[in-house]
Coordinates of all heavy atoms in Angstrom, one line a residue:
F1 N 0.9 -1.2 0.0 CA 0.0 0.0 0.0 C 0.9 1.2 0.0 O 1.7 1.4 0.9 CB -0.9 0.0 1.3 CG -1.9 1.1 1.2 CD1 -3.1 0.9 0.6 CD2 -1.7 2.3 1.9 CE1 -4.1 1.9 0.6 CE2 -2.6 3.3 1.9 CZ -3.8 3.1 1.2
M2 N 0.7 2.1 -1.0 CA 1.6 3.2 -1.2 C 0.9 4.5 -0.7 O -0.2 4.8 -1.1 CB 2.0 3.4 -2.6 CG 2.9 4.5 -2.9 SD 4.6 4.1 -3.4 CE 4.3 3.5 -5.1
M3 N 1.6 5.2 0.2 CA 1.1 6.5 0.6 C 2.1 7.6 0.1 O 3.3 7.3 0.0 CB 1.0 6.6 2.1 CG 0.1 5.5 2.6 SD -0.5 5.5 4.3 CE -1.1 7.1 4.5
D4 N 1.5 8.8 -0.2 CA 2.4 9.9 -0.7 C 2.9 10.7 0.5 O 2.1 11.5 1.1 CB 1.5 10.7 -1.6 CG 2.4 11.7 -2.4 OD1 3.4 12.2 -1.9 OD2 2.0 12.0 -3.6
A5 N 4.1 10.5 0.9 CA 4.7 11.2 2.0 C 4.9 12.7 1.8 O 5.3 13.4 2.7 CB 6.0 10.5 2.5
S6 N 4.7 13.1 0.5 CA 5.0 14.5 0.2 C 3.7 15.3 0.2 O 3.7 16.5 0.0 CB 5.7 14.7 -1.1 OG 4.7 14.4 -2.2
D7 N 2.6 14.6 0.4 CA 1.3 15.3 0.3 C 0.3 15.0 1.5 O -0.6 14.1 1.4 CB 0.6 14.8 -1.0 CG -0.6 15.7 -1.3 OD1 -1.0 16.5 -0.5 OD2 -1.2 15.5 -2.4
P8 N 0.5 15.6 2.6 CA -0.3 15.3 3.8 C -1.8 15.6 3.6 O -2.6 15.1 4.3 CB 0.3 16.3 4.9 CG 1.6 16.6 4.4 CD 1.6 16.6 2.9
T9 N -2.1 16.4 2.5 CA -3.6 16.7 2.3 C -4.3 15.4 1.9 O -5.5 15.3 2.0 CB -3.8 17.7 1.2 OG1 -3.3 17.3 0.0 CG2 -3.1 19.0 1.6
Q10 N -3.6 14.4 1.4 CA -4.2 13.1 1.0 C -4.3 12.1 2.1 O -4.8 11.0 2.0 CB -3.4 12.5 -0.1 CG -3.5 13.2 -1.4 CD -2.7 12.5 -2.5 OE1 -1.8 11.7 -2.2 NE2 -2.9 12.9 -3.8
L11 N -3.7 12.5 3.3 CA -3.5 11.6 4.4 C -4.8 10.9 4.9 O -4.8 9.6 5.0 CB -2.9 12.3 5.6 CG -2.1 11.5 6.6 CD1 -1.0 10.6 5.9 CD2 -1.4 12.4 7.6
S12 N -5.9 11.6 5.1 CA -7.0 11.0 5.6 C -7.7 10.1 4.6 O -8.1 9.0 5.0 CB -8.0 12.1 6.1 OG -8.3 13.0 5.1
A13 N -7.7 10.5 3.4 CA -8.3 9.6 2.3 C -7.5 8.3 2.2 O -8.0 7.2 2.1 CB -8.3 10.3 1.0
S14 N -6.1 8.4 2.3 CA -5.3 7.2 2.2 C -5.5 6.3 3.4 O -5.6 5.1 3.2 CB -3.8 7.6 2.2 OG -3.5 8.4 1.1
C15 N -5.7 6.9 4.5 CA -5.9 6.2 5.7 C -7.3 5.4 5.7 O -7.3 4.2 6.0 CB -5.9 7.1 6.9 SG -6.0 6.2 8.5
V16 N -8.3 6.0 5.2 CA -9.6 5.4 5.1 C -9.5 4.2 4.1 O -10.0 3.1 4.4 CB -10.7 6.4 4.7 CG1 -11.9 5.7 4.2 CG2 -11.0 7.4 5.8
Q17 N -8.8 4.4 3.0 CA -8.6 3.4 2.1 C -7.8 2.2 2.7 O -8.2 1.0 2.5 CB -7.8 3.9 0.9 CG -8.3 3.4 -0.5 CD -7.8 4.3 -1.6 OE1 -6.8 5.1 -1.5 NE2 -8.6 4.3 -2.7
L18 N -6.8 2.5 3.4 CA -6.0 1.5 4.1 C -6.8 0.7 5.1 O -6.8 -0.6 5.0 CB -4.8 2.1 4.8 CG -3.9 1.2 5.6 CD1 -3.3 0.1 4.8 CD2 -2.9 2.0 6.4
L19 N -7.6 1.3 5.9 CA -8.4 0.7 6.9 C -9.5 -0.3 6.2 O -9.7 -1.4 6.7 CB -9.2 1.7 7.8 CG -8.3 2.4 8.7 CD1 -9.0 3.6 9.4 CD2 -7.7 1.5 9.8
G20 N -10.0 0.2 5.0 CA -10.9 -0.6 4.3 C -10.3 -1.9 3.8 O -10.9 -3.0 3.9
L21 N -9.0 -1.8 3.3 CA -8.3 -3.0 2.8 C -8.0 -3.9 4.0 O -8.2 -5.2 3.8 CB -7.0 -2.5 2.1 CG -7.2 -1.9 0.7 CD1 -5.9 -1.3 0.2 CD2 -7.8 -2.8 -0.3
L22 N -7.6 -3.4 5.1 CA -7.1 -4.2 6.2 C -8.3 -5.0 6.8 O -8.1 -6.0 7.3 CB -6.4 -3.4 7.3 CG -5.1 -2.8 6.9 CD1 -4.6 -1.9 8.0 CD2 -4.1 -3.8 6.5
S23 N -9.5 -4.4 6.7 CA -10.7 -5.1 7.2 C -11.4 -6.0 6.2 O -12.3 -6.7 6.6 CB -11.7 -4.0 7.8 OG -12.1 -3.2 6.8
A24 N -10.9 -6.0 5.0 CA -11.5 -6.9 4.0 C -11.2 -8.3 4.3 O -10.0 -8.7 4.5 CB -11.0 -6.5 2.6
E25 N -12.2 -9.2 4.2 CA -12.0 -10.6 4.6 C -11.0 -11.3 3.7 O -10.2 -12.1 4.2 CB -13.4 -11.3 4.6 CG -13.4 -12.5 5.4 CD -14.9 -12.9 5.8 OE1 -15.7 -12.0 6.0 OE2 -15.2 -14.1 5.8
Q26 N -11.1 -11.0 2.4 CA -10.2 -11.7 1.5 C -8.7 -11.3 1.7 O -7.8 -12.0 1.3 CB -10.5 -11.3 0.1 CG -12.0 -11.5 -0.4 CD -12.8 -10.3 -0.2 OE1 -12.8 -9.7 0.9 NE2 -13.4 -9.8 -1.3
L27 N -8.5 -10.2 2.5 CA -7.1 -9.8 2.7 C -6.6 -10.1 4.1 O -5.6 -9.6 4.6 CB -6.9 -8.3 2.4 CG -7.1 -8.0 0.9 CD1 -7.0 -6.4 0.7 CD2 -6.0 -8.7 0.1
A28 N -7.4 -10.9 4.9 CA -7.1 -11.1 6.3 C -5.8 -11.8 6.5 O -5.1 -11.5 7.5 CB -8.2 -12.0 6.9
K29 N -5.4 -12.6 5.5 CA -4.1 -13.3 5.6 C -3.0 -12.7 4.8 O -1.9 -13.3 4.7 CB -4.3 -14.8 5.3 CG -5.2 -15.6 6.2 CD -5.1 -17.1 6.0 CE -5.7 -17.9 7.2 NZ -7.1 -18.0 7.0
A30 N -3.2 -11.6 4.3 CA -2.2 -10.9 3.4 C -1.1 -10.4 4.3 O -1.2 -10.0 5.4 CB -2.9 -9.8 2.6
S31 N 0.1 -10.4 3.6 CA 1.2 -9.7 4.2 C 1.2 -8.3 3.7 O 1.1 -8.1 2.5 CB 2.6 -10.3 3.9 OG 2.6 -11.6 4.4
V32 N 1.3 -7.3 4.5 CA 1.1 -5.9 4.1 C 2.4 -5.1 4.2 O 3.1 -5.1 5.3 CB 0.0 -5.2 4.9 CG1 -0.2 -3.8 4.5 CG2 -1.3 -6.0 4.8
L33 N 2.8 -4.4 3.2 CA 3.9 -3.5 3.2 C 3.3 -2.1 2.9 O 2.8 -1.9 1.8 CB 5.0 -3.9 2.2 CG 6.2 -2.9 2.1 CD1 6.9 -2.9 3.4 CD2 7.1 -3.3 0.9
I34 N 3.5 -1.2 3.9 CA 3.0 0.2 3.6 C 4.2 1.0 3.3 O 5.2 1.1 4.0 CB 2.3 0.8 4.9 CG1 1.1 -0.1 5.3 CG2 1.9 2.2 4.6 CD1 0.5 0.4 6.6
L35 N 4.1 1.6 2.1 CA 5.2 2.4 1.6 C 4.9 3.9 1.7 O 3.9 4.3 1.2 CB 5.5 2.1 0.1 CG 5.9 0.6 -0.3 CD1 6.0 0.5 -1.8 CD2 7.2 0.3 0.4
F36 N 5.8 4.6 2.3 CA 5.7 6.1 2.4 C 6.6 6.5 1.3 O 7.9 6.6 1.4 CB 6.1 6.6 3.7 CG 5.0 6.4 4.8 CD1 5.0 5.2 5.5 CD2 4.0 7.3 5.0 CE1 4.0 4.9 6.4 CE2 3.0 7.1 5.9 CZ 3.0 5.9 6.6
N37 N 6.0 6.9 0.1 CA 6.8 7.2 -1.1 C 7.1 8.7 -1.2 O 6.4 9.5 -0.5 CB 6.1 6.7 -2.3 CG 7.0 6.9 -3.6 OD1 8.2 6.7 -3.6 ND2 6.3 7.2 -4.7
K38 N 8.0 9.1 -2.0 CA 8.4 10.5 -2.3 C 9.1 11.2 -1.1 O 8.9 12.4 -0.9 CB 7.1 11.3 -2.7 CG 6.4 10.7 -3.9 CD 5.5 11.7 -4.6 CE 4.6 11.0 -5.6 NZ 3.8 12.0 -6.3
I39 N 9.9 10.4 -0.4 CA 10.6 11.1 0.7 C 11.7 12.0 0.3 O 12.3 12.7 1.1 CB 11.1 10.0 1.7 CG1 12.1 9.1 1.1 CG2 10.0 9.3 2.5 CD1 13.0 8.3 2.0
D40 N 12.0 12.0 -1.1 CA 13.0 12.9 -1.6 C 12.4 14.4 -1.7 O 13.2 15.3 -1.9 CB 13.4 12.5 -3.0 CG 12.3 12.3 -4.0 OD1 11.4 11.5 -3.8 OD2 12.2 13.1 -4.9
L41 N 11.1 14.5 -1.6 CA 10.5 15.8 -1.8 C 10.4 16.5 -0.4 O 10.1 15.9 0.6 CB 9.1 15.7 -2.4 CG 9.1 15.3 -3.9 CD1 7.6 15.1 -4.3 CD2 9.8 16.2 -4.7
P42 N 10.6 17.8 -0.4 CA 10.4 18.6 0.9 C 8.9 18.6 1.3 O 8.1 18.6 0.4 CB 10.9 20.0 0.6 CG 10.8 20.1 -0.9 CD 11.0 18.7 -1.5
C43 N 8.7 18.5 2.6 CA 7.3 18.5 3.0 C 7.2 19.2 4.4 O 8.1 19.1 5.2 CB 6.8 17.1 3.1 SG 5.1 16.9 3.7
Y44 N 6.1 19.9 4.6 CA 6.0 20.6 5.8 C 5.7 19.7 7.0 O 5.8 20.1 8.2 CB 4.8 21.7 5.8 CG 3.5 21.1 5.4 CD1 2.6 20.7 6.5 CD2 3.0 21.1 4.1 CE1 1.4 20.2 6.2 CE2 1.7 20.6 3.8 CZ 0.9 20.2 4.8 OH -0.3 19.7 4.6
M45 N 5.4 18.4 6.7 CA 5.2 17.5 7.8 C 6.2 16.3 7.6 O 6.4 15.9 6.5 CB 3.8 17.0 7.7 CG 3.2 16.4 8.9 SD 1.5 15.8 8.7 CE 0.6 17.3 8.9
S46 N 6.7 15.8 8.7 CA 7.7 14.7 8.6 C 6.9 13.4 8.5 O 5.7 13.3 8.8 CB 8.6 14.6 9.8 OG 7.8 14.2 11.0
T47 N 7.5 12.4 8.0 CA 6.9 11.0 7.8 C 6.4 10.5 9.2 O 5.4 10.0 9.4 CB 7.8 10.0 7.2 OG1 8.3 10.6 6.0 CG2 7.0 8.8 6.8
E48 N 7.2 10.8 10.2 CA 6.9 10.4 11.6 C 5.6 11.1 12.1 O 4.8 10.5 12.7 CB 8.1 10.7 12.5 CG 9.2 9.7 12.5 CD 8.8 8.2 12.4 OE1 8.1 7.8 13.2 OE2 9.2 7.6 11.4
E49 N 5.5 12.4 11.7 CA 4.3 13.1 12.1 C 3.1 12.5 11.4 O 2.0 12.4 11.9 CB 4.5 14.6 11.8 CG 5.3 15.4 12.8 CD 5.6 16.8 12.3 OE1 5.9 17.0 11.1 OE2 5.5 17.7 13.2
M50 N 3.3 12.2 10.1 CA 2.1 11.6 9.3 C 1.7 10.3 9.9 O 0.5 10.0 10.1 CB 2.5 11.5 7.9 CG 2.7 12.8 7.2 SD 3.3 12.7 5.5 CE 1.8 12.1 4.6
K51 N 2.7 9.4 10.3 CA 2.4 8.1 10.9 C 1.6 8.3 12.2 O 0.7 7.6 12.5 CB 3.7 7.4 11.2 CG 4.3 6.8 9.9 CD 5.6 6.1 10.4 CE 6.4 5.5 9.2 NZ 7.7 5.0 9.5
S52 N 2.0 9.3 13.0 CA 1.4 9.6 14.3 C 0.0 10.1 14.1 O -0.9 9.7 14.8 CB 2.3 10.6 15.0 OG 1.6 11.2 16.1
L53 N -0.2 11.0 13.1 CA -1.5 11.6 12.8 C -2.5 10.6 12.4 O -3.7 10.7 12.9 CB -1.3 12.7 11.7 CG -2.4 13.8 11.7 CD1 -2.3 14.6 13.0 CD2 -2.1 14.7 10.5
I54 N -2.2 9.5 11.7 CA -3.1 8.5 11.3 C -3.1 7.4 12.3 O -3.8 6.4 12.2 CB -2.9 7.9 9.9 CG1 -1.5 7.2 9.8 CG2 -3.0 9.0 8.8 CD1 -1.4 6.4 8.5
R55 N -2.4 7.6 13.4 CA -2.3 6.6 14.5 C -1.9 5.2 13.9 O -2.5 4.2 14.2 CB -3.6 6.5 15.3 CG -4.0 7.9 15.8 CD -5.2 7.8 16.8 NE -4.8 7.1 18.0 CZ -5.5 7.2 19.1 NH1 -6.5 8.0 19.2 NH2 -5.2 6.5 20.1
L56 N -0.9 5.3 13.1 CA -0.4 4.0 12.5 C 0.0 2.9 13.5 O -0.3 1.7 13.3 CB 0.8 4.3 11.6 CG 1.2 3.2 10.6 CD1 0.0 2.8 9.7 CD2 2.4 3.6 9.8
P57 N 0.6 3.2 14.6 CA 0.9 2.2 15.6 C -0.3 1.4 16.1 O -0.3 0.2 16.2 CB 1.6 2.9 16.8 CG 2.2 4.2 16.1 CD 1.2 4.6 15.0
D58 N -1.4 2.2 16.3 CA -2.7 1.5 16.7 C -3.3 0.7 15.6 O -3.8 -0.4 15.8 CB -3.7 2.6 17.1 CG -3.4 3.3 18.4 OD1 -2.6 2.8 19.1 OD2 -4.0 4.4 18.7
I59 N -3.2 1.2 14.3 CA -3.7 0.5 13.2 C -2.9 -0.8 13.0 O -3.5 -1.9 12.8 CB -3.5 1.3 11.8 CG1 -4.4 2.5 11.9 CG2 -3.8 0.4 10.6 CD1 -4.2 3.5 10.7
I60 N -1.6 -0.8 13.2 CA -0.8 -2.0 13.1 C -1.1 -3.0 14.2 O -1.2 -4.2 14.0 CB 0.7 -1.6 13.1 CG1 1.1 -0.9 11.8 CG2 1.6 -2.9 13.3 CD1 2.5 -0.3 11.7
A61 N -1.3 -2.4 15.4 CA -1.6 -3.3 16.6 C -2.9 -4.0 16.4 O -3.1 -5.1 16.8 CB -1.6 -2.5 17.9
C62 N -3.9 -3.3 15.8 CA -5.3 -3.8 15.7 C -5.5 -4.7 14.5 O -6.4 -5.5 14.4 CB -6.3 -2.7 15.7 SG -6.4 -1.8 17.3
A63 N -4.6 -4.6 13.5 CA -4.8 -5.3 12.2 C -4.5 -6.8 12.4 O -3.7 -7.2 13.2 CB -3.9 -4.8 11.1
K64 N -5.3 -7.6 11.6 CA -5.0 -9.1 11.6 C -3.7 -9.4 10.9 O -3.1 -10.4 11.2 CB -6.2 -9.8 11.0 CG -7.5 -9.6 11.6 CD -8.6 -10.3 10.8 CE -9.1 -9.6 9.5 NZ -9.8 -8.4 9.7
Q65 N -3.4 -8.6 9.9 CA -2.2 -8.8 9.1 C -0.9 -8.5 9.7 O -0.9 -7.7 10.7 CB -2.4 -8.0 7.8 CG -3.6 -8.3 6.9 CD -4.8 -7.5 7.3 OE1 -4.9 -6.9 8.4 NE2 -5.8 -7.5 6.5
D66 N 0.1 -9.1 9.2 CA 1.5 -8.7 9.5 C 1.8 -7.5 8.7 O 1.8 -7.5 7.4 CB 2.4 -9.9 9.1 CG 3.8 -9.8 9.8 OD1 4.0 -8.8 10.5 OD2 4.6 -10.6 9.5
I67 N 2.1 -6.4 9.3 CA 2.3 -5.1 8.6 C 3.7 -4.6 8.8 O 4.2 -4.5 9.9 CB 1.3 -4.0 9.1 CG1 -0.1 -4.5 8.8 CG2 1.6 -2.7 8.3 CD1 -1.2 -3.5 9.3
T68 N 4.4 -4.3 7.7 CA 5.7 -3.7 7.7 C 5.6 -2.3 7.0 O 4.7 -2.1 6.2 CB 6.7 -4.6 6.9 OG1 6.6 -5.9 7.4 CG2 8.1 -4.0 6.9
T69 N 6.4 -1.3 7.5 CA 6.4 0.0 6.8 C 7.8 0.3 6.3 O 8.8 -0.2 6.8 CB 5.9 1.1 7.8 OG1 7.0 1.3 8.8 CG2 4.6 0.8 8.4
A70 N 7.8 1.1 5.2 CA 9.1 1.5 4.7 C 9.0 2.9 4.1 O 7.9 3.3 3.7 CB 9.5 0.5 3.6
E71 N 10.1 3.6 4.2 CA 10.1 5.0 3.6 C 11.0 4.9 2.4 O 12.1 4.5 2.5 CB 10.6 6.0 4.7 CG 9.7 6.0 5.8 CD 10.2 6.9 7.0 OE1 11.1 7.7 6.8 OE2 9.7 6.7 8.1
I72 N 10.4 5.3 1.3 CA 11.1 5.2 0.0 C 11.0 6.4 -0.9 O 10.2 7.3 -0.7 CB 10.5 3.9 -0.8 CG1 9.1 4.2 -1.2 CG2 10.5 2.7 0.1 CD1 8.6 3.4 -2.4
S73 N 11.9 6.4 -1.9 CA 11.7 7.3 -3.0 C 11.8 6.4 -4.3 O 12.8 5.9 -4.6 CB 12.8 8.4 -3.0 OG 12.8 9.0 -4.3
A74 N 10.6 6.3 -4.9 CA 10.6 5.5 -6.2 C 11.5 6.2 -7.2 O 12.1 5.5 -8.1 CB 9.2 5.3 -6.7
R75 N 11.5 7.5 -7.1 CA 12.3 8.2 -8.1 C 13.8 8.0 -7.9 O 14.5 7.8 -8.9 CB 12.0 9.7 -8.0 CG 12.9 10.6 -9.0 CD 12.2 11.9 -9.3 NE 11.1 11.7 -10.1 CZ 10.2 12.7 -10.4 NH1 10.5 13.9 -10.0 NH2 9.2 12.5 -11.2
K76 N 14.3 8.2 -6.7 CA 15.7 8.1 -6.4 C 16.2 6.6 -6.1 O 17.4 6.3 -6.1 CB 16.1 8.9 -5.2 CG 15.7 10.4 -5.4 CD 16.9 11.3 -5.4 CE 16.4 12.7 -5.7 NZ 17.4 13.7 -5.9
G77 N 15.2 5.7 -5.8 CA 15.6 4.4 -5.5 C 15.9 4.2 -4.0 O 16.2 3.1 -3.6
T78 N 15.7 5.2 -3.2 CA 15.9 5.1 -1.8 C 15.0 4.1 -1.2 O 13.8 4.1 -1.4 CB 15.6 6.5 -1.1 OG1 16.3 7.5 -1.9 CG2 16.1 6.5 0.3
G79 N 15.5 3.2 -0.4 CA 14.7 2.2 0.3 C 14.3 1.0 -0.6 O 13.7 0.0 -0.1
L80 N 14.8 1.0 -1.8 CA 14.4 -0.1 -2.8 C 14.9 -1.5 -2.3 O 14.2 -2.4 -2.4 CB 14.9 0.2 -4.2 CG 14.4 -0.7 -5.3 CD1 12.9 -0.7 -5.4 CD2 15.0 -0.3 -6.6
A81 N 16.1 -1.5 -1.8 CA 16.7 -2.7 -1.3 C 15.9 -3.4 -0.2 O 15.6 -4.6 -0.2 CB 18.1 -2.5 -0.9
G82 N 15.3 -2.5 0.7 CA 14.5 -3.0 1.7 C 13.2 -3.6 1.2 O 12.7 -4.6 1.7
V83 N 12.6 -2.9 0.2 CA 11.4 -3.4 -0.4 C 11.6 -4.8 -1.1 O 10.8 -5.7 -0.9 CB 10.8 -2.4 -1.5 CG1 9.7 -3.0 -2.2 CG2 10.4 -1.1 -0.8
L84 N 12.7 -4.9 -1.8 CA 13.1 -6.2 -2.4 C 13.3 -7.3 -1.4 O 12.9 -8.4 -1.6 CB 14.3 -6.0 -3.4 CG 14.1 -5.2 -4.6 CD1 15.4 -5.0 -5.4 CD2 13.0 -5.7 -5.5
G85 N 14.0 -6.9 -0.3 CA 14.2 -7.9 0.8 C 12.9 -8.3 1.4 O 12.7 -9.5 1.7
W86 N 12.0 -7.4 1.6 CA 10.7 -7.8 2.1 C 9.9 -8.7 1.2 O 9.4 -9.7 1.6 CB 9.8 -6.5 2.3 CG 8.4 -6.8 2.9 CD1 8.1 -6.9 4.2 CD2 7.2 -7.0 2.1 NE1 6.7 -7.2 4.3 CE2 6.2 -7.2 3.0 CE3 6.9 -7.0 0.7 CZ2 4.9 -7.5 2.7 CZ3 5.6 -7.3 0.4 CH2 4.6 -7.5 1.3
L87 N 10.0 -8.4 -0.1 CA 9.3 -9.3 -1.1 C 9.9 -10.7 -1.0 O 9.1 -11.7 -1.0 CB 9.5 -8.7 -2.5 CG 8.6 -7.5 -2.9 CD1 9.0 -6.9 -4.2 CD2 7.1 -8.0 -3.0
Q88 N 11.2 -10.8 -1.0 CA 11.9 -12.0 -1.0 C 11.5 -12.8 0.3 O 11.2 -14.0 0.2 CB 13.4 -11.8 -1.0 CG 14.2 -12.7 -1.9 CD 15.6 -12.2 -2.2 OE1 16.0 -11.3 -1.5 NE2 16.2 -12.7 -3.2
A89 N 11.6 -12.1 1.4 CA 11.3 -12.8 2.7 C 9.9 -13.2 2.8 O 9.6 -14.3 3.3 CB 11.7 -11.9 3.8
T90 N 9.0 -12.4 2.3 CA 7.5 -12.7 2.4 C 7.1 -13.8 1.5 O 6.2 -14.5 1.8 CB 6.8 -11.4 2.1 OG1 7.2 -10.4 3.0 CG2 5.3 -11.5 2.3
H91 N 7.7 -13.9 0.3 CA 7.2 -14.9 -0.6 C 8.1 -16.1 -0.7 O 8.0 -16.9 -1.6 CB 7.0 -14.2 -2.0 CG 5.9 -13.1 -1.9 ND1 4.6 -13.5 -1.8 CD2 6.0 -11.8 -1.9 CE1 3.9 -12.3 -1.7 NE2 4.7 -11.3 -1.7
R92 N 9.1 -16.2 0.2 CA 10.0 -17.3 0.2 C 9.1 -18.6 0.4 O 8.3 -18.6 1.3 CB 11.0 -17.2 1.4 CG 12.0 -18.3 1.4 CD 13.1 -18.0 2.4 NE 13.9 -16.8 1.9 CZ 14.4 -15.9 2.7 NH1 14.3 -16.0 4.0 NH2 15.1 -14.9 2.2
G93 N 9.3 -19.6 -0.4 CA 8.6 -20.8 -0.3 C 7.2 -20.8 -0.9 O 6.5 -21.8 -0.9
N94 N 6.8 -19.7 -1.4 CA 5.5 -19.6 -2.0 C 5.6 -19.8 -3.6 O 4.6 -19.5 -4.3 CB 4.8 -18.3 -1.8 CG 4.4 -18.1 -0.3 OD1 4.5 -19.0 0.5 ND2 4.0 -16.9 0.1
G95 N 6.7 -20.3 -4.0 CA 6.9 -20.5 -5.5 C 7.4 -19.2 -6.0 O 7.1 -18.7 -7.0
Ligands
GDP1 N1 9.8 13.2 -6.5 C1 9.2 12.0 -6.6 N2 8.2 11.9 -7.6 C2 7.7 10.6 -7.7 C3 8.1 9.5 -6.9 N3 7.3 8.5 -7.2 C4 6.5 8.9 -8.2 N4 6.7 10.2 -8.5 C5 6.1 11.0 -9.5 O1 4.7 11.2 -9.2 C6 4.0 11.4 -10.3 C7 2.7 10.6 -10.2 O2 1.9 11.2 -9.2 P1 1.4 10.3 -8.0 O3 1.2 11.3 -6.8 O4 2.3 9.2 -7.8 O5 0.0 9.8 -8.5 P2 -1.4 10.5 -8.4 O6 -1.5 11.1 -7.1 O7 -2.3 9.3 -8.6 O8 -1.5 11.4 -9.5 C8 4.8 11.0 -11.5 O9 5.2 12.1 -12.2 C9 6.0 10.3 -10.9 O10 7.2 10.4 -11.6 C10 9.1 9.8 -5.9 O11 9.5 8.9 -5.1 N5 9.6 11.0 -5.9
MG2 MG1 -0.4 12.0 -5.8

């Protein structure tokens, strides 16, 4: 699930969408990676502030799924190695 870390005005809409996905029965057993993308752009709010504002720790604690978060820049490639590592670890043994 990708969130735009450079645009806090989308935060509540993204959060509602995320909560909808996490509560969907078909996704109860999904492994979830939440990406905060565009960390290369300046923003009046830090990613930590954004996480706190949507109460991400509570969301993670209450969700049935295993949730990982990563801060990335798809443009610069920042955090890409971590994303690939997560994909590899999560899908190991799944063919
Ligand atoms: N600076 C920056 N731009 C990005 C990044 N990832 C995607 N973009 C750019 O964001 C634009 C797409 O906008 P986006 O906010 O992702 O989608 P939208 O909100 O659905 O329009 C494209 O021009 C991408 O090149 C990133 O990590 N950093
Ligand atoms: Mg956007």
Side-chain angles (χ1 to χ4, degrees):
F1 187 85
M2 180 113 74
M3 303 192 49
D4 192 330
S6 75
D7 190 355
T9 65
Q10 293 179 340
L11 202 53
S12 55
S14 300
C15 183
V16 166
Q17 219 160 24
L18 174 62
L19 289 171
L21 289 172
L22 293 177
S23 62
E25 203 159 322
Q26 304 96 304
L27 293 176
K29 292 196 167 82
S31 297
V32 179
L33 177 63
I34 301 175
L35 299 173
F36 287 85
N37 187 36
K38 305 199 191 183
I39 58 162
D40 59 293
L41 294 176
C43 181
Y44 60 86
M45 200 181 276
S46 71
T47 310
E48 285 316 307
E49 283 174 314
M50 291 176 74
K51 287 177 180 174
S52 162
L53 204 61
I54 63 169
R55 303 187 66 161
L56 191 59
D58 289 344
I59 292 174
I60 291 173
C62 292
K64 299 180 284 288
Q65 297 89 346
D66 194 2
I67 300 179
T68 304
T69 67
E71 294 173 21
I72 67 159
S73 165
R75 174 159 293 171
K76 304 241 174 190
T78 314
L80 188 60
V83 172
L84 293 175
W86 179 89
L87 282 170
Q88 223 165 15
T90 304
H91 296 287
R92 183 170 293 147
N94 292 352

